[in-house]
Amino acid sequence: MRHWRKSIRPDVVAVVSLFFPEVGGRRERFAEMASGGDAEARTENTEDEEEEEEERPLTAAEALAAQKREERLRKFRELHLKRNEARKLNHQEVVEEDKRLKLPANWEAKKARLEWELQVEEKKKECAARGEDYERVKLLEISAEDAERWERKKKRKNPDLGFSDYAAAQLRQYHRLTKQIKPDMETYEKLREKHGEEFYPTSNSLLHGTHVPSTEEIDRMVIDLEKQIEKREKYSRRRPYNDDSDIDYINERNAKFNKKAERFYGKYTAEIKQNLERGTAV
């Protein structure tokens, strides 16, 4: 049937339609068949030409172009793989960063502290299994420089960190006062012999309020209180008022401003000020 369609020509169809009217209604059909046959014939010819071109050996220029094309495709595939890998790594970094941001602010310090504690526990178990003293083994691992540095840090007296709140200030004062106490062991032994078991009070003891301090103890307390009052007066940040100073201000705020100006620019304006006071300013 395919070869029959190829053999039908449009002029033959026209002649047949003239001599045979009953076939005229089929004219369009024959035309379509003829045109279809031509299209199929062209398609087959194109396929045959492509097969012939494929079978034909490539020239040097075509081979070079094909080689370059393969090289570009290979580089493109490598870039594509690298892009996918970079995208995957970026996603992992974003997830890790989000986890770190959700953790507490001091998480790193806590983690390091917990790891250190676990290491200490493991070393203690190892020393206990070997029958050794952990403290002695730990001291053997510490260098002389580290030991001296830690001792100097421990010997620092009164590391004043500044005022934080009144409770902390009161606690500091309590520790300072207790360090100044010098116990009298003779009086302590006398009182313990005098009161016997009641010297160590319990919930049922009635010893509270029966102790009468001596005159020396009262004098020592008064001297200590006077020292506290004197130190507190010296520590006051309020500056005393000088009646003999020159009045060059109109209110308290202006006086503070003049003091600041004098502190920063007084040495540069001293001569001008003296000339104004003498009336010899130019």
Side-chain angles (χ1 to χ4, degrees), residues 253-266:
R253 185 177 179 182
N254 182 243
K256 292 180 179 179
F257 176 79
N258 292 341
K259 288 180 180 180
K260 289 181 180 180
E262 180 66 24
R263 184 164 63 250
F264 289 103
Y265 305 105

Side-chain angles (χ1 to χ4, degrees), residues 20-58:
F20 300 97
E22 65 275 9
V23 187
R26 301 179 182 176
R27 182 177 181 179
E28 291 80 4
R29 185 177 178 183
F30 281 112
E32 292 176 0
M33 292 168 64
S35 62
D38 294 339
E40 290 181 0
R42 287 194 298 271
T43 304
E44 289 182 357
N45 293 333
T46 305
E47 292 177 356
D48 295 339
E49 292 176 357
E50 291 178 354
E51 291 177 358
E52 291 177 357
E53 290 179 356
E54 291 178 357
E55 294 176 357
R56 182 170 54 83
L58 298 175

Side-chain angles (χ1 to χ4, degrees), residues 190-208:
K190 290 179 181 179
L191 290 175
R192 189 173 66 173
E193 292 176 359
K194 178 180 179 181
H195 297 286
E197 295 295 333
E198 294 182 357
F199 186 75
Y200 303 100
T202 61
S203 59
N204 298 323
S205 300
L206 300 176
L207 187 62
H208 179 72

Side-chain angles (χ1 to χ4, degrees), residues 28-239:
E28 291 80 4
R29 185 177 178 183
F30 281 112
E32 292 176 0
M33 292 168 64
S35 62
D38 294 339
E40 290 181 0
R42 287 194 298 271
T43 304
E44 289 182 357
N45 293 333
T46 305
E47 292 177 356
D48 295 339
E49 292 176 357
E50 291 178 354
E51 291 177 358
E52 291 177 357
E53 290 179 356
E54 291 178 357
E55 294 176 357
R56 182 170 54 83
L58 298 175
T59 62
E62 292 176 349
L64 183 60
Q67 185 179 0
K68 290 182 177 180
R69 181 172 178 274
E70 291 296 331
E71 185 69 19
R72 293 193 188 97
L73 290 175
R74 185 180 62 79
K75 290 183 179 179
F76 179 76
R77 285 192 294 269
E78 291 178 357
L79 291 173
H80 185 70
L81 293 174
K82 288 181 180 180
R83 185 189 66 176
N84 291 338
E85 185 179 0
R87 185 185 299 170
K88 184 178 179 181
L89 294 175
N90 288 337
H91 179 69
Q92 292 177 357
E93 289 294 331
V94 169
V95 172
E96 293 296 330
E97 185 178 3
D98 184 64
K99 288 181 181 179
R100 289 195 299 269
L101 292 175
K102 289 181 180 179
L103 293 173
N106 57 345
W107 168 249
E108 295 295 334
K110 286 185 177 180
K111 184 179 178 182
R113 179 71 180 180
L114 292 173
E115 292 177 354
W116 177 78
E117 290 179 356
L118 290 175
Q119 293 177 0
V120 170
E121 291 296 331
E122 291 178 357
K123 289 182 179 179
K124 285 183 178 179
K125 291 180 181 178
E126 293 176 359
C127 293
R130 294 195 301 265
E132 298 177 351
D133 187 8
Y134 170 73
E135 296 295 333
R136 187 169 183 177
V137 173
K138 183 178 70 173
L139 291 175
L140 291 174
E141 296 177 355
I142 298 174
S143 63
E145 295 179 356
D146 295 338
E148 290 178 359
R149 186 174 68 254
W150 290 341
E151 287 297 327
R152 287 196 300 269
K153 187 182 294 185
K154 288 180 181 179
K155 288 181 179 179
R156 285 190 309 176
K157 294 183 178 180
N158 190 21
D160 192 0
L161 303 177
F163 178 82
S164 58
D165 54 6
Y166 290 101
Q170 186 178 7
L171 181 62
R172 287 174 55 193
Q173 185 180 12
Y174 170 77
H175 288 306
R176 182 177 58 81
L177 294 176
T178 51
K179 285 180 181 179
Q180 295 177 2
I181 296 176
K182 296 179 180 180
D184 189 357
M185 300 306 297
E186 294 181 359
T187 307
Y188 173 80
E189 293 293 339
K190 290 179 181 179
L191 290 175
R192 189 173 66 173
E193 292 176 359
K194 178 180 179 181
H195 297 286
E197 295 295 333
E198 294 182 357
F199 186 75
Y200 303 100
T202 61
S203 59
N204 298 323
S205 300
L206 300 176
L207 187 62
H208 179 72
T210 59
H211 174 68
V212 179
S214 63
T215 307
E216 296 178 355
E217 295 174 350
I218 295 174
D219 294 340
R220 187 169 63 248
M221 183 191 69
V222 171
I223 293 172
D224 185 70
L225 290 175
E226 289 177 352
K227 288 181 179 179
Q228 293 182 30
I229 294 171
E230 184 179 358
K231 184 177 181 180
R232 196 178 297 115
E233 289 178 353
K234 291 181 179 179
Y235 185 75
S236 177
R237 295 289 297 172
R238 186 173 180 82
R239 304 296 190 271

